[in-house]
Amino acid sequence: MSAHDPSANVSRLLSRLSDGELSQSEFEEVEQYLLENPEARQTYFDYVDINTGINNHTVERLKELDGVFTSNIPQSKIASLKPVAGKTQKKSSLLSYIAVAATSVMLLLCSEFFMGERFFPSKTHPEKVATPTNDLPETYVATLVRSTECKWGNYNPPQFSGQRLLSKHLFLKEGIAEFRFDSGIGLVLEGPTELKIASANSAKLLSGSVVLHGYESAPEFELVTSQAKFFDVGTEYGIKVEENLGTELHVFEGSVRIQPIEDSSNVDPNIQIVNEGVAQYIDNKTNKVIALEPDKFQRKVPKKAKDPKASREELIAYDGFHPFRKTDLKSQSKWQHGGTGWVGPWRNWRLGLQNRKNGKTQILKLSPATSHPEKTLLPKLLSSDQTGCIEFNQSSQSWRTLKKPLRLDTDAVYYLSIFLEKASPSSASTTQNQYGNISFRTLDNPNDKKINAGKIQFSIGSDNYPSLHTPIETVTKAPPISYDKPYLFIAKIVASKNSPDQVFLRVFSHSEQIPQEEPLVWTCISAPYDDSTVYEHVRFQVGKYCAFFFDELRIGTTWESVSRFQNSKDKP
């Protein structure tokens, strides 16, 4: 590349990159040259600005990046660079912004390139605009765990288990409902009950009956009535409030600390702690000990036995990567055709097995992953049908289409579970391109290979840290996984028609027991965001210098549908 005419060379290579024709070596050449040549960076930025534009979300990221860059410059140098006149200041600010913007866009490009996607979207592909978290009208603070025979009286009430709480004013006319707050606290409401939620750690009971289940690692939860404030101390207790009357407190386990309301003198200041096995009544005139009556409260939501057919319907798609035929147990099986809930086999490209190109029909190949018919990643082999897993390496990927796509344009909850294992690298010469992931994908224009397909992705990075990716952010959390050990990923996607969506990921190690119920703690949690995408495809992908094993893929609508492995015949 000539130093005398950087614009021509950079434009030519950027044009090839936009068309998806740039090789790895050419990409590295562009990257290095942009780092070393300010003129080339300016040309690059102009090209990106013309061909893709910079949306509001990117501008905000550039401003944040500008703060990071300037924070590392000594104050003396910053002062020396300050312009004298307003006109000069505007020009200097513009040049600084362009330099920062060009560098940051290049970094975004590098990140996207190494994750296996091209940065440039199709010029005809409509842009999806996600609502930033800080623009949302409310913040989610709780999840509906389960309910039975409920009738709600408020606007936008919770409708199904797993749904995030959409309203902070709950009026349960009839039935029983259990909510799990993000702080870890559980509240069981029995109708008729009216409750106002202030935060993940505070609520006000206007009338009715609730039972609070404390969580040792959670901060104190403040439950307020018209007479007093109640704080749990590793507690299970019940409170009953009758309208215009007093408050009954019944402590079943632990202790409860009582703090009087400022304008109330009816709580004895000498009685601040109520211990296990004690009950107390507080109203405008009295404050006295009463008999403990656990039977007054519904402490749990009764469980109903599920119809086996209904349980099967909760599972949207399944693939155990078991050999397609029993005769394939000791050979390369046709694993790409196995499982249920899919359209067609696993293939090696985002498009279908037949693709039109230049007026001709191309027959694309089946997925190149290697089948291991007698290997399993499950902690316990519960059935002979559960043998078999697949191995991906050397930048391979695999796509498959769902019969029932995941719709984020409606009210729904989806779960995914997958066992995975990252093999020890064969060489320590590089730490890059050692990632593996599974994602939900959409193709708005199936005839365009260059589109920047929408995705929700769950990954193990080159640094071995788990992460989740949504259209607006990437969330990565410690600790890292270990090589040659199986892990279980369980993800949850909460979709809403008129409210923000949210994504969760929990990583279980090979020694952890999988809970029967949805856990209190998640490894990664996304910020709420708006997404009305219909995700039709599932994709596996691994980096160039690593190998991953995958086993027992399940996609369903309940925690139980993706976490129960006892009966491999429970398939859709």
Side-chain angles (χ1 to χ4, degrees):
M1 186 175 295
S2 172
H4 300 289
D5 186 18
S7 299
N9 287 324
V10 170
S11 297
R12 178 181 58 83
L13 290 175
L14 289 179
S15 178
R16 284 172 54 78
L17 178 59
S18 176
D19 293 335
E21 299 173 351
L22 198 65
S23 67
Q24 175 71 25
S25 61
E26 288 174 323
F27 177 86
E28 293 172 353
E29 181 183 2
V30 171
E31 178 186 12
Q32 185 63 32
Y33 198 79
L34 290 176
L35 289 172
E36 296 175 352
N37 295 273
E39 298 91 345
R41 286 199 297 270
Q42 178 63 58
T43 301
Y44 171 75
F45 178 70
D46 292 340
Y47 186 90
V48 172
D49 193 25
I50 292 170
N51 284 273
T52 64
I54 299 177
N55 59 32
N56 291 333
H57 177 62
T58 306
V59 170
E60 290 302 316
R61 293 182 65 178
L62 296 179
K63 290 179 180 178
E64 294 175 6
L65 192 59
D66 183 51
V68 173
F69 284 171
T70 55
S71 66
N72 294 324
I73 302 175
Q75 291 299 318
S76 60
K77 290 193 174 184
I78 293 178
S80 68
L81 293 174
K82 288 183 179 178
V84 177
K87 190 172 182 180
T88 308
Q89 180 179 3
K90 183 176 181 181
K91 182 178 180 181
S92 175
S93 175
L94 177 60
L95 290 175
S96 299
Y97 179 77
I98 289 175
V100 172
T103 305
S104 60
V105 173
M106 180 185 68
L107 292 175
L108 290 174
L109 171 63
C110 295
S111 172
E112 196 68 14
F113 182 89
F114 286 113
M115 288 303 291
E117 296 296 326
R118 298 297 182 184
F119 180 85
F120 297 97
S122 169
K123 296 176 183 178
T124 60
H125 182 58
E127 180 184 5
K128 296 182 185 299
V129 179
T131 301
T133 306
N134 55 10
D135 290 340
L136 299 177
E138 295 184 0
T139 302
Y140 291 133
V141 295
T143 301
L144 177 61
V145 178
R146 62 180 64 86
S147 62
T148 181
E149 300 177 354
C150 288
K151 292 183 179 180
W152 299 91
N154 57 300
Y155 170 74
N156 204 12
Q159 301 174 8
F160 48 84
S161 298
Q163 185 175 7
R164 298 289 278 162
L165 195 57
L166 305 179
S167 173
K168 291 190 175 182
H169 186 182
L170 299 175
F171 178 31
L172 178 61
K173 291 182 175 180
E174 299 178 13
I176 306 167
E178 179 180 352
F179 292 92
R180 181 71 64 184
F181 284 73
D182 291 355
S183 60
I185 295 296
L187 275 186
V188 178
L189 282 62
E190 182 180 5
T193 290
E194 187 172 5
L195 184 79
K196 284 189 175 181
I197 297 172
S199 70
N201 301 307
S202 179
K204 184 173 184 179
L205 180 62
L206 302 178
S207 64
S209 173
V210 302
V211 172
L212 182 143
H213 295 271
Y215 179 55
E216 291 182 359
S217 301
E220 278 189 331
F221 190 91
E222 177 188 56
L223 188 59
V224 182
T225 69
S226 57
Q227 282 78 31
K229 299 178 181 179
F230 303 88
F231 300 87
D232 72 290
V233 186
T235 310
E236 181 191 356
Y237 68 86
I239 284 188
K240 187 177 287 287
V241 173
E242 294 185 27
E243 195 170 358
N244 300 322
L245 295 176
T247 299
E248 288 187 28
L249 167 67
H250 297 253
V251 183
F252 309 128
E253 294 180 10
S255 302
V256 175
R257 179 167 59 88
I258 303 178
Q259 178 180 325
I261 300 295
E262 292 181 1
D263 60 352
S264 174
S265 59
N266 300 313
V267 177
D268 187 343
N270 297 319
I271 305 178
Q272 295 295 314
I273 301 294
V274 179
N275 294 315
E276 179 177 329
V278 178
Q280 196 161 328
Y281 178 80
I282 305 168
D283 65 11
N284 294 331
K285 298 180 180 180
T286 61
N287 175 20
K288 62 184 179 180
V289 175
I290 59 176
L292 182 73
E293 298 183 73
D295 294 339
K296 267 190 172 184
F297 298 87
Q298 190 70 48
R299 297 166 65 177
K300 292 184 179 180
V301 177
K303 287 187 177 181
K304 294 182 178 180
K306 280 189 177 180
D307 180 12
K309 182 180 179 180
S311 297
R312 287 192 294 271
E313 290 175 351
E314 293 174 350
L315 193 60
I316 296 173
Y318 168 81
D319 200 335
F321 308 111
H322 184 69
F324 191 57
R325 299 182 181 87
K326 290 186 177 181
T327 55
D328 294 329
L329 278 173
K330 294 185 179 182
S331 64
Q332 289 293 311
S333 66
K334 300 292 185 181
W335 67 270
Q336 296 92 338
H337 299 269
T340 49
W342 308 97
V343 177
W346 291 97
R347 57 189 186 270
N348 72 335
W349 189 238
R350 64 180 70 194
L351 304 178
L353 288 175
Q354 292 189 352
N355 175 39
R356 298 287 295 178
K357 183 178 180 181
N358 299 326
K360 297 180 180 180
T361 300
Q362 280 184 311
I363 304 298
L364 300 179
K365 297 178 181 179
L366 294 176
S367 169
T370 302
S371 170
H372 294 272
E374 295 182 304
K375 179 180 173 67
T376 181
L377 302 185
L378 272 68
K380 285 186 177 180
L381 188 60
L382 303 171
S383 165
S384 59
D385 290 338
Q386 292 176 316
T387 59
C389 68
I390 52 174
E391 177 186 1
F392 288 90
N393 54 37
Q394 297 182 350
S395 300
S396 57
Q397 59 178 289
S398 183
W399 293 72
R400 204 172 191 186
T401 303
L402 292 162
K403 280 185 179 179
K404 298 180 181 178
L406 274 58
R407 305 191 65 94
L408 271 67
D409 58 351
T410 188
D411 295 320
V413 177
Y414 303 102
Y415 294 83
L416 170 144
S417 70
I418 183 75
F419 283 92
L420 60 83
E421 179 180 307
K422 185 176 183 179
S424 297
S426 56
S427 172
S429 60
T430 179
T431 58
Q432 295 182 342
N433 288 313
Q434 294 187 14
Y435 58 84
N437 57 61
I438 182 172
S439 57
F440 292 107
R441 297 276 171 155
T442 183
L443 306 176
D444 291 344
N445 184 358
N447 294 317
D448 187 355
K449 293 182 181 180
K450 304 184 189 71
I451 66 170
N452 189 18
K455 65 180 178 182
I456 298 176
Q457 182 169 287
F458 310 99
S459 305
I460 292 293
S462 297
D463 56 4
N464 286 0
Y465 286 96
S467 62
L468 70 79
H469 311 257
T470 70
I472 67 166
E473 67 175 339
T474 296
V475 182
T476 303
K477 286 293 179 71
I481 67 161
S482 299
Y483 292 114
D484 305 316
K485 298 289 185 182
Y487 290 83
L488 175 63
F489 273 33
I490 299 187
K492 175 183 177 181
I493 301 172
V494 182
S496 180
K497 184 177 181 180
N498 299 314
S499 299
D501 311 290
Q502 199 166 17
V503 184
F504 303 77
L505 172 65
R506 176 64 188 269
V507 179
F508 293 95
S509 70
H510 58 282
S511 59
E512 286 185 87
Q513 186 171 354
I514 312 304
Q516 294 183 353
E517 298 181 354
E518 191 172 309
L520 302 175
V521 179
W522 295 86
T523 307
C524 300
I525 302 176
S526 80
Y529 70 101
D530 286 338
D531 189 352
S532 296
T533 306
V534 177
Y535 291 99
E536 305 152 310
H537 312 278
V538 175
R539 189 198 72 173
F540 289 106
Q541 183 194 34
V542 303
K544 185 176 182 180
Y545 302 110
C546 63
F548 276 82
F549 297 90
F550 294 96
D551 197 3
E552 284 288 318
L553 170 61
R554 293 170 182 258
I555 301 168
T557 58
T558 63
W559 173 268
E560 185 182 28
S561 66
V562 300
S563 64
R564 185 183 59 185
F565 306 102
Q566 285 75 8
N567 188 356
S568 63
K569 294 182 180 179
D570 287 344
K571 303 172 185 176

Short mmCIF file of all heavy atoms in Angstrom, two decimals, residues 319 321-324 332-339 346 367-371 390 392 398 400:
data_model
loop_
_atom_site.label_atom_id
_atom_site.label_comp_id
_atom_site.label_asym_id
_atom_site.label_seq_id
_atom_site.Cartn_x
_atom_site.Cartn_y
_atom_site.Cartn_z
N ASP A 319 -32.58 -31.56 20.00
CA ASP A 319 -31.62 -32.37 19.25
C ASP A 319 -30.57 -32.88 20.22
O ASP A 319 -29.84 -32.09 20.84
CB ASP A 319 -30.96 -31.56 18.14
CG ASP A 319 -30.34 -32.46 17.06
OD1 ASP A 319 -30.00 -33.61 17.39
OD2 ASP A 319 -30.20 -32.01 15.91
N PHE A 321 -28.24 -34.94 19.14
CA PHE A 321 -27.11 -35.28 18.27
C PHE A 321 -26.78 -36.77 18.36
O PHE A 321 -25.64 -37.19 18.24
CB PHE A 321 -25.89 -34.42 18.61
CG PHE A 321 -26.21 -32.96 18.63
CD1 PHE A 321 -26.21 -32.23 19.81
CD2 PHE A 321 -26.57 -32.30 17.46
CE1 PHE A 321 -26.54 -30.88 19.83
CE2 PHE A 321 -26.91 -30.95 17.47
CZ PHE A 321 -26.88 -30.24 18.66
N HIS A 322 -27.83 -37.54 18.58
CA HIS A 322 -27.73 -38.99 18.58
C HIS A 322 -27.64 -39.47 17.14
O HIS A 322 -28.22 -38.85 16.24
CB HIS A 322 -28.97 -39.59 19.26
CG HIS A 322 -28.93 -41.08 19.42
ND1 HIS A 322 -28.07 -41.70 20.28
CD2 HIS A 322 -29.65 -42.05 18.83
CE1 HIS A 322 -28.27 -43.01 20.23
NE2 HIS A 322 -29.22 -43.25 19.35
N PRO A 323 -26.91 -40.53 16.86
CA PRO A 323 -26.85 -41.06 15.49
C PRO A 323 -28.24 -41.24 14.91
O PRO A 323 -29.16 -41.70 15.59
CB PRO A 323 -26.12 -42.38 15.65
CG PRO A 323 -25.27 -42.18 16.85
CD PRO A 323 -26.06 -41.31 17.79
N PHE A 324 -28.37 -40.85 13.65
CA PHE A 324 -29.67 -40.91 12.99
C PHE A 324 -30.18 -42.34 12.91
O PHE A 324 -31.37 -42.59 12.98
CB PHE A 324 -29.55 -40.30 11.58
CG PHE A 324 -30.87 -40.07 10.92
CD1 PHE A 324 -31.84 -39.29 11.52
CD2 PHE A 324 -31.15 -40.63 9.68
CE1 PHE A 324 -33.05 -39.07 10.91
CE2 PHE A 324 -32.36 -40.42 9.06
CZ PHE A 324 -33.32 -39.64 9.68
N GLN A 332 -19.45 -42.54 11.13
CA GLN A 332 -19.89 -41.16 10.96
C GLN A 332 -21.39 -41.14 10.68
O GLN A 332 -21.83 -41.49 9.59
CB GLN A 332 -19.13 -40.51 9.80
CG GLN A 332 -17.67 -40.25 10.13
CD GLN A 332 -17.53 -39.18 11.20
OE1 GLN A 332 -18.12 -38.12 11.11
NE2 GLN A 332 -16.74 -39.48 12.22
N SER A 333 -22.20 -40.76 11.69
CA SER A 333 -23.65 -40.82 11.53
C SER A 333 -24.17 -39.60 10.78
O SER A 333 -23.52 -38.57 10.69
CB SER A 333 -24.31 -40.86 12.91
OG SER A 333 -24.07 -39.63 13.58
N LYS A 334 -25.37 -39.72 10.26
CA LYS A 334 -26.05 -38.61 9.60
C LYS A 334 -26.76 -37.78 10.67
O LYS A 334 -27.98 -37.61 10.67
CB LYS A 334 -27.05 -39.14 8.57
CG LYS A 334 -26.43 -39.97 7.47
CD LYS A 334 -25.55 -39.14 6.55
CE LYS A 334 -25.04 -39.98 5.38
NZ LYS A 334 -24.16 -39.20 4.49
N TRP A 335 -25.97 -37.25 11.60
CA TRP A 335 -26.55 -36.55 12.74
C TRP A 335 -27.29 -35.28 12.33
O TRP A 335 -28.17 -34.80 13.05
CB TRP A 335 -25.44 -36.18 13.73
CG TRP A 335 -24.48 -35.15 13.18
CD1 TRP A 335 -23.34 -35.38 12.49
CD2 TRP A 335 -24.63 -33.73 13.28
NE1 TRP A 335 -22.75 -34.19 12.14
CE2 TRP A 335 -23.52 -33.16 12.61
CE3 TRP A 335 -25.59 -32.88 13.84
CZ2 TRP A 335 -23.34 -31.79 12.52
CZ3 TRP A 335 -25.41 -31.51 13.74
CH2 TRP A 335 -24.29 -30.97 13.10
N GLN A 336 -26.99 -34.73 11.16
CA GLN A 336 -27.59 -33.46 10.75
C GLN A 336 -29.10 -33.55 10.60
O GLN A 336 -29.79 -32.53 10.62
CB GLN A 336 -26.98 -32.99 9.42
CG GLN A 336 -25.48 -32.67 9.48
CD GLN A 336 -24.60 -33.85 9.11
OE1 GLN A 336 -25.05 -35.01 9.21
NE2 GLN A 336 -23.37 -33.60 8.70
N HIS A 337 -29.63 -34.77 10.43
CA HIS A 337 -31.06 -34.95 10.20
C HIS A 337 -31.82 -35.31 11.47
O HIS A 337 -33.04 -35.51 11.42
CB HIS A 337 -31.30 -36.05 9.16
CG HIS A 337 -30.70 -35.75 7.82
ND1 HIS A 337 -31.37 -35.09 6.82
CD2 HIS A 337 -29.46 -36.02 7.32
CE1 HIS A 337 -30.59 -34.96 5.76
NE2 HIS A 337 -29.43 -35.51 6.03
N GLY A 338 -31.15 -35.41 12.62
CA GLY A 338 -31.81 -35.86 13.85
C GLY A 338 -32.61 -34.75 14.53
O GLY A 338 -32.69 -33.61 14.08
N GLY A 339 -33.21 -35.12 15.67
CA GLY A 339 -33.96 -34.17 16.47
C GLY A 339 -35.36 -33.93 15.94
O GLY A 339 -35.78 -34.49 14.92
N TRP A 346 -29.19 -29.72 9.67
CA TRP A 346 -28.15 -28.74 9.96
C TRP A 346 -27.32 -28.52 8.69
O TRP A 346 -26.89 -29.47 8.05
CB TRP A 346 -27.25 -29.21 11.09
CG TRP A 346 -27.93 -29.24 12.43
CD1 TRP A 346 -28.50 -30.32 13.03
CD2 TRP A 346 -28.09 -28.14 13.33
NE1 TRP A 346 -29.03 -29.97 14.25
CE2 TRP A 346 -28.78 -28.63 14.46
CE3 TRP A 346 -27.73 -26.80 13.29
CZ2 TRP A 346 -29.11 -27.81 15.54
CZ3 TRP A 346 -28.06 -25.99 14.37
CH2 TRP A 346 -28.73 -26.49 15.48
N SER A 367 -23.85 -29.58 7.50
CA SER A 367 -22.91 -29.07 8.49
C SER A 367 -21.65 -29.92 8.53
O SER A 367 -21.71 -31.15 8.50
CB SER A 367 -23.56 -29.06 9.87
OG SER A 367 -22.60 -28.82 10.87
N PRO A 368 -20.47 -29.27 8.62
CA PRO A 368 -19.22 -30.02 8.60
C PRO A 368 -18.79 -30.56 9.97
O PRO A 368 -17.73 -31.15 10.09
CB PRO A 368 -18.21 -28.97 8.12
CG PRO A 368 -18.75 -27.68 8.65
CD PRO A 368 -20.25 -27.81 8.60
N ALA A 369 -19.59 -30.35 11.00
CA ALA A 369 -19.20 -30.80 12.34
C ALA A 369 -19.00 -32.31 12.38
O ALA A 369 -19.65 -33.07 11.65
CB ALA A 369 -20.24 -30.39 13.37
N THR A 370 -18.10 -32.74 13.26
CA THR A 370 -17.78 -34.17 13.41
C THR A 370 -18.68 -34.81 14.45
O THR A 370 -18.89 -34.26 15.54
CB THR A 370 -16.32 -34.35 13.84
OG1 THR A 370 -15.48 -33.74 12.87
CG2 THR A 370 -15.96 -35.81 13.98
N SER A 371 -19.24 -35.95 14.12
CA SER A 371 -20.09 -36.69 15.05
C SER A 371 -19.26 -37.64 15.91
O SER A 371 -18.35 -38.30 15.42
CB SER A 371 -21.14 -37.49 14.26
OG SER A 371 -21.83 -38.38 15.11
N ILE A 390 -21.51 -33.55 19.07
CA ILE A 390 -20.85 -33.09 17.86
C ILE A 390 -19.68 -32.19 18.23
O ILE A 390 -19.67 -31.55 19.28
CB ILE A 390 -21.82 -32.33 16.92
CG1 ILE A 390 -22.56 -31.23 17.69
CG2 ILE A 390 -22.80 -33.30 16.29
CD1 ILE A 390 -23.43 -30.36 16.82
N PHE A 392 -17.13 -29.05 16.73
CA PHE A 392 -16.84 -28.00 15.74
C PHE A 392 -15.42 -27.50 15.95
O PHE A 392 -14.96 -27.36 17.09
CB PHE A 392 -17.79 -26.82 15.91
CG PHE A 392 -19.20 -27.09 15.47
CD1 PHE A 392 -20.14 -27.58 16.36
CD2 PHE A 392 -19.60 -26.82 14.17
CE1 PHE A 392 -21.45 -27.80 15.97
CE2 PHE A 392 -20.91 -27.05 13.76
CZ PHE A 392 -21.83 -27.55 14.66
N SER A 398 -22.70 -23.88 11.80
CA SER A 398 -23.82 -24.73 11.39
C SER A 398 -25.13 -24.02 11.67
O SER A 398 -25.29 -23.40 12.73
CB SER A 398 -23.77 -26.07 12.13
OG SER A 398 -24.81 -26.92 11.69
N ARG A 400 -29.60 -24.11 11.43
CA ARG A 400 -30.81 -24.90 11.28
C ARG A 400 -32.02 -24.01 11.55
O ARG A 400 -31.97 -23.11 12.38
CB ARG A 400 -30.83 -26.12 12.21
CG ARG A 400 -31.75 -27.23 11.68
CD ARG A 400 -31.62 -28.50 12.47
NE ARG A 400 -32.29 -29.61 11.81
CZ ARG A 400 -32.44 -30.83 12.32
NH1 ARG A 400 -31.92 -31.11 13.53
NH2 ARG A 400 -33.07 -31.78 11.65
#
